[in-house]
Structures are given as C-alpha cells and as structure tokens.
Amino acid sequence: KLSAGAVLSLNNLLLKNSTLKAELKLGGKNELNVDYVKNFGEFWGVYYRIFPYINEKTTYIYDDEHHKTQSVSSLETGFTSGIGFLSGKYLSTEAFIYGYQARLYRDISQTVPVNQFNTVSGFGLKAYHESLDDYVFPKSGFRALGKLNFARKSKISDYKYSKFYGKIDAYQSISNLLSFKLGLEYGSISDQNSAVLIDPFYVGGSDGYLGYERYEVSAPYFHTLEAGLVLNLRKNLFLNLGMQGMDLNDVNSLGVLKDLEYSAYVGIGYRSIIGPAKLTLGFPFRGKLQSYLTIGYDADIFKFSRR
C-alpha cells in the first residue's frame, strides 16, 4: 500500500509563458501525467492545455465485513485538451475535449478472467476557484471545483453518458489557533446506455471519504458532507478532527440523504523545511480503522486538468 511520486516542472519550454509539469507515480496507482499549458497573459487571459496520461490501478471488491473478495485492474491511456480563461489566481474556466481507452482485466476472481476494452470520447466544461491561505494546511479561505462531462456520440465513444462532479471546501478562522471547516462533495452519472458502469467515482482514500480504503468503493452517485476543526498547535504543527457523512447509491438521490455512513477522523501534520508530513486516522461507524501516512505533497496537482 506504499506509493511514491515525483514532479518535474519547467517554465517557458518551447513557448513563452508556458508551463510543463510531468509526474511519475508508482505504487497503489501507477501513473505518468504530462500537463502543458500555454498562457496568453501574465495574470489573466486565454490559455490552452494539452494533458496526455497513462495509468494503471487496481480496484478491490469487498464483502460486508470488509474482506477482499475480488479485484479488477485497469490500464488506461488518454488525453484532455482544452481552451480556458484565467482570471488571476482566483478563477479558471475551461472548455475541453477528452478521449481515453481502458483495458479491464480480473486479478482475483472465482470466475474466468475477463478482458474488456472501452473507448470513450466526449467534451465538457469545468471551473475552479481558490482563495485558501495555504495549500497543505489551510485555516481560512474557499475552494470550489466543478466539472461537467458529456460522451454523446456513438461513432467516437463506446458508451453514452453524462457526468458531473463538484467539491467545495470552506475554512473560517475563529482565532489564531482555531479554524472551522465545512466540506461538500457530490458526483453523479446519468443517461448511461449500458449496464456496465463506466468511469465511476472512487470515494475512499486520504483525499475522499476516510472510512474506506483507496479504490475500495465505486459508485455512479454519491454525496459526502464534512464538518471539522483545524487547530494550529504550534507554528508548523496542525491537528485536524471532524466527522464525515456519505450517502452512496446506485441511483441519483440529490437532496435525499437517508442512508448516510459516518466516519470520524483525526489527523496531525507538520510543515518542515523539506516538506509536509501528515498522519490521518479514519474511524468509520461501520468497518475497520483506516490510516493514511503521507510525506510530501500528496494532493492531486492535476485534478483540474483531468476530464
């Protein structure tokens, strides 16, 4: 369950006011991401993006007692390309096209291994806003991300579907030592013309619902609500604690939070000269204790770049 990665960042490569970021990640999810952005302006203006990638991950299937019963691996290659507008550091909007091919194959199963190729292409819109005071240990500010995808043409896509994802995190500083956090995350897939779940949401892990392991659960619809506290114990020492509630369904249930699963969490982080370190524990009301140890910058820096 160990994963590690490194990022290379180059400015003004090939073109002026351009940025190239390349990431190699190995472990629980093997990835190679390359993001090239050309800006037509210093702090605001139009830009275009080219984002090719390849990744391989394993999704586990668990029984009611959280024991692994099956695993399905996928090898995915694809790209995203878009034209957007940047307004300072506070708002980015982008119209994009995307395409990818995924090969699914069974790892652990009592049935005959299945090979399946899926080719999906479409277009979408996305927007991002951020006014946090710190990227790793925020105490005040607001962050919002929204994405809307459409795969509608059968000539270029094996499946037709629409997909929406949104996440909001708000931090309010109460004093120099204490801040309050509210979070909301929502995802839905609709109009899918197949019983096969394509491009689902994965809700577990250190950046999602802390009561599940990474890639433990996938679903076409989910809501996650969060309320927590951030304590700045010392200059570079932080304590996070709070509660998450997740509504996981096979049908769209926006506004109907009737089957919430709950997980409390506590985490401690330290910001050092060489980078941050965090240890987070998730305490689900149903299921076993989850622990996440991260050294360095574990956030997905390409979350906005992806489809």
Side-chain angles (χ1 to χ4, degrees):
K1 298 181 182 180
L2 174 67
S3 62
V7 177
L8 172 67
S9 182
L10 300 173
N11 293 324
N12 301 317
L13 181 68
L14 301 179
L15 297 172
K16 184 180 178 180
N17 291 336
S18 66
T19 301
L20 172 70
K21 287 186 172 65
E23 178 189 48
L24 177 63
K25 186 180 297 183
L26 301 173
K29 182 180 182 180
N30 301 319
E31 292 186 81
L32 175 61
N33 301 299
V34 179
D35 193 20
Y36 186 80
V37 178
K38 161 61 180 172
N39 296 307
F40 295 91
E42 290 289 340
F43 301 104
W44 66 274
V46 176
Y47 68 87
Y48 70 80
R49 177 192 312 279
I50 302 174
F51 178 68
Y53 68 91
I54 180 170
N55 65 57
E56 183 182 39
K57 65 177 180 290
T58 300
T59 303
Y60 297 102
I61 301 173
Y62 292 73
D63 59 21
D64 294 337
E65 298 180 352
H66 290 257
H67 297 144
K68 295 175 184 177
T69 59
Q70 297 182 41
S71 66
V72 179
S73 293
S74 67
L75 178 64
E76 180 179 320
T77 57
F79 78 96
T80 300
S81 181
I83 298 177
F85 180 79
L86 174 67
S87 177
K89 65 178 182 179
Y90 296 109
L91 179 64
S92 295
T93 58
E94 184 178 317
F96 64 95
I97 59 174
Y98 68 95
Y100 69 92
Q101 184 179 74
R103 175 178 177 263
L104 307 179
Y105 51 95
R106 292 282 176 86
D107 273 5
I108 305 172
S109 176
Q110 296 179 354
T111 60
V112 178
V114 176
N115 291 329
Q116 184 175 4
F117 289 90
N118 301 311
T119 300
V120 178
S121 301
F123 66 96
L125 301 170
K126 52 189 173 183
Y128 181 74
H129 164 80
E130 183 176 287
S131 57
L132 299 178
D133 63 337
D134 189 88
Y135 288 114
V136 181
F137 301 112
K139 297 189 296 181
S140 64
F142 185 79
R143 175 171 53 199
L145 170 66
K147 295 183 181 181
L148 186 60
N149 295 24
F150 302 93
R152 312 304 301 172
K153 298 294 185 179
S154 58
K155 292 182 180 180
I156 59 174
S157 183
D158 292 339
Y159 298 95
K160 293 182 179 181
Y161 70 97
S162 302
K163 181 177 181 180
F164 174 78
Y165 171 79
K167 185 173 183 180
I168 298 173
D169 293 309
Y171 295 83
Q172 178 61 52
S173 178
I174 301 173
S175 68
N176 292 332
L177 300 178
L178 181 64
S179 298
F180 184 63
K181 177 189 178 182
L182 285 177
L184 170 64
E185 192 173 13
Y186 170 75
S188 69
I189 300 175
S190 58
D191 302 327
Q192 190 164 281
N193 60 345
S194 172
V196 179
L197 182 58
I198 300 300
D199 201 14
F201 299 100
Y202 298 97
V203 298
S206 60
D207 193 33
Y209 181 68
L210 295 166
Y212 285 131
E213 292 186 26
R214 181 175 50 182
Y215 308 131
E216 178 176 347
V217 174
S218 61
Y221 304 100
F222 79 99
H223 312 74
T224 302
L225 307 173
E226 180 179 348
L229 296 174
V230 180
L231 287 84
N232 192 183
L233 302 177
R234 299 183 65 180
K235 181 179 179 181
N236 293 310
L237 185 63
F238 297 84
L239 180 69
N240 298 82
L241 58 132
M243 181 73 69
Q244 292 178 313
M246 183 182 65
D247 184 25
L248 197 66
N249 287 284
D250 292 329
V251 296
N252 195 345
S253 58
L254 181 62
V256 182
L257 303 177
K258 59 182 180 179
D259 296 319
L260 283 177
E261 300 183 36
Y262 294 96
S263 177
Y265 67 86
V266 59
I268 188 167
Y270 181 73
R271 182 169 50 201
S272 69
I273 298 177
I274 61 174
K278 294 187 292 183
L279 174 63
T280 305
L281 302 177
F283 302 90
F285 290 18
R286 294 183 294 180
K288 61 181 182 179
L289 171 71
Q290 304 292 343
S291 61
Y292 308 93
L293 174 64
T294 59
I295 300 173
Y297 299 91
D298 64 316
D300 182 5
I301 65 173
F302 302 109
K303 195 164 188 176
F304 181 73
S305 305
R306 302 182 191 278
R307 63 178 183 273

